[in-house]
Amino acid sequence: MPAKTKVAILAVAMIAAAGGITACGGSTNSGGSTAGNHAASGSGQNSTGSGTAAGGSSNGVLTVALNGNPTTTDPYDTQDNLSYTIEKTMYQGLLGFDKNMKIVPVLAQSYTVAPDAKSITFTLRQGIKFADGTPFNAEAVKVNLDRAKDPNSHLKRYSLFSMISQVKVLGDYKVEVDLNQPFGAIAGNFAHPAAMMISPKALQEYGSKVAQHPDGTGPYEFVYWKDGSDLLVKQNPNYWGTKTNVKEIDFKFVPDEATSVSMLESGEAQFVFPIPTDQVSSLQSNSDIVVKHTPSIVVDYIAFNTTVKPFNNPLVRQAINYAIDKNGFVQVVDNGFAQPATSAIAPNTWGYAKQPPYDANIQKAKDLLKQAGYPNGFTATLVSSNASGTVKADQFIQQQLQQVGITVNIQPLDSATLDSEIFVPASQSKLQMYFGGWSPSTGDADWGLRPLLTKADFPPTGYNLGFYTDPVVEQAIQAGLDTADPTKRQQAYATAQAQIWKDAPWAFLVVPDNVFAYRSNLQGAYVMPDSTLSLNNASFTN
Amino acid sequence: MASNAAPAPNSPVPAPPVAVVHRPRPWRAFVRKFLHQPVTVAASVVLLAILVAAVVGASHYQLAQTPDYSAVLKPPSAKHLFGTDEFGRDLFQRVLAGAHMSILVGVSSVFVGSIIGTLLGLIAGYYGGWREGLIMRLTDILLAFPGIVLAIGIMAVLGSGMINVIIAVAIFTVPIFVRLVQGTTLAVKELTYIEAARTVGVGDARILFRYVFPNVLPTIVVYFTMRIGSAILISASLGFLGLGVSPSEPEWGAMLTSAQEYIRNAPWTIMAPGLAILITVIAFNLVGDGLRDAVDPKLKL
């Protein structure tokens, strides 16, 4: 009998040790610290593989492993990039982004923004049908936007459309969208995947349940969505563009990154994003697999609560910027797949202006702390999400700040607890430091700065977690919205970025790469700088 | 070892030995039986080494936390016996410092849990009635939860931190001891000498601690040792799930969490804390097994 228990104990202990191997998958939310970046090389629009029946093992089915579950298929109600990735195969917007985040017309043939930035007019492409056969025209655009701008629709992306006052149908294929205030960044809002067009028939038929019956103009149409398992789309017979030899796309939800890497190696999946940066070298040695990394538009930063001591002192905030070695962060936390941040927004964001770097300088950091009245440093708490990559970043920050005498207590929290910590008014906020990332999905400086660093976006409703406000910044960001003139807007955002950089409401850390990998017989699939996938031109070569 | 044929070490002879004249020497019998189990002896040696490591480990905390970015994820070598982790921290130092934390959590939580559990078990078993009903039903409720679920629930309420891990594991240990002690007490209180003590007017407290408790003690000691193994496992699981100590601490479970990222290209990062848990838990359980067999062959758990 003792022998039996001993075996049992052994088994239990081994399971415990092995527990380390399974359990706890990754997580990455839209703003979160995804991996990612450098040398954009998705082969974009070019040749669509001549192969007809997409031979080989693929059978025309492209299997994509994603690191989580989608939340919805209604673009107007979506807040995560994973859901957008799926939606973008079924839906298209009036405008969109190319692989460098430049705004390009999609369902619109052309567009013009009024000089006073109070309206935008679209001329639509003709002869396009939704998957259910409904024709795409000005009326369809109006139905979509009327729904989006109505607060009673309770859609999560209302803030992108709240400035729309009315939608005027000027002809079968011409629409004018009027705004209730100047909004110079409006084209970016229409290029955002949240503004993709849903079939008016589906909207009418299914109402608020349209997420279960997605219907758009994209190259693929919805087949099924098995919760927690996969979502399948198949080629849309009504698609107006060039069809490729990818007949179906199967999105598999695989929260554990190690599992998705194995799926790629075995050929079970043909495209995987994100790839953990420390697996890149082992994947690169496999000739059947291509590993790519492209720059993202995410900025990873630490937000300081500028209303509490010691972080209300700009000297302290600057000291922390000097104390953290950004190149070390790139190497240690992101395994080289990132660039040090050079502004509050990433270089691929429209309106970016490069700032002089805060080079790592321990002595300078110590001097600044002394000047601020903290010669012996202090103790502070750093909160963040509990995703594994984020926790690694937390620890690096902790180690770096230890060198200048700042003791950091790390608190990685699950998303619900984290939200309840950070989305509280200044008077109740116990926040000191927050580590996170932000991806401005409109690709415009406005969305990179306004929601994070202006007074109107203080928690609990906004994302300005450190309650930072500065008259120069407020004024410049407003000036950027008041005009549609790109030169003036660029200038305004340059002013704002310079002031933010000097005030250091954040510790500016890195712009991570998007790291992805695919089977070598796949081409034309890549990750966009906004961390969504572009799969519509994907094809198999064999 | 088993050459002493005469006294037949495994025969189910209870406390009074065959010899008539001499006082019974339970300790000697115990030691003899204990030493007759080679596996237990080996496990005890390992356990002793772990305890020494735990004591030494306390002073290695600073070393265990020192990063070296030029030596990230290095395999085991003469310089780094167990290799280094993703921040270039020496895994040998971390496992050592982790031994201190794990043993501290394991021993102190089971100690607290067993004291509370024993008291409640004695009361329930000895008095019976409504006290028994109340205590045993509460115990049943706690036992109805799988251990780890209970611990996770408690951590969710208390928040993270080492003290809270100890409290969580202690609470999870209490019902097991209540059950154990109550059962033994029920059997013991019917014995004639207890009845005799009661008739001559000895007080309840004295009976409980002078006469009942010593009978329960061997069971407690055996179970105490075995529960430390589970306590370490539970606290490592909590650490693994991110519910225990801060992730930068050299705690075995927390080390496993960060190491799982590197299992493909740096498997030693998971081996070091994983084996440490494995060996420690096995050692505690084997010693517990051996103790049980040595204390009383009739005592079946």
Side-chain angles (χ1 to χ4, degrees), chain A residues 6 265 278-279 388 399, chain B residues 69 261-262 264-265 286:
Chain A
K6 276 163 203 169
E265 285 177 320
D278 41 60
Q279 313 253 322
S388 53
Q399 292 159 10
Chain B
Y69 304 131
E261 307 272 308
Y262 310 100
R264 291 161 66 96
N265 43 356
L286 290 181

Side-chain angles (χ1 to χ4, degrees), chain A residues 4-75:
Chain A
K4 213 172 184 179
T5 46
K6 276 163 203 169
V7 170
I9 291 158
L10 198 87
V12 167
M14 278 166 60
I15 289 164
I21 301 161
T22 45
C24 272
S27 60
T28 316
N29 44 24
S30 67
S33 62
T34 357
N37 130 56
H38 180 100
S41 53
S43 35
Q45 318 279 79
N46 31 9
S47 78
T48 329
S50 50
T52 42
S57 54
S58 50
N59 287 325
V61 180
L62 167 58
T63 303
V64 178
L66 300 173
N67 68 335
N69 285 278
T71 52
T72 177
T73 62
D74 179 353

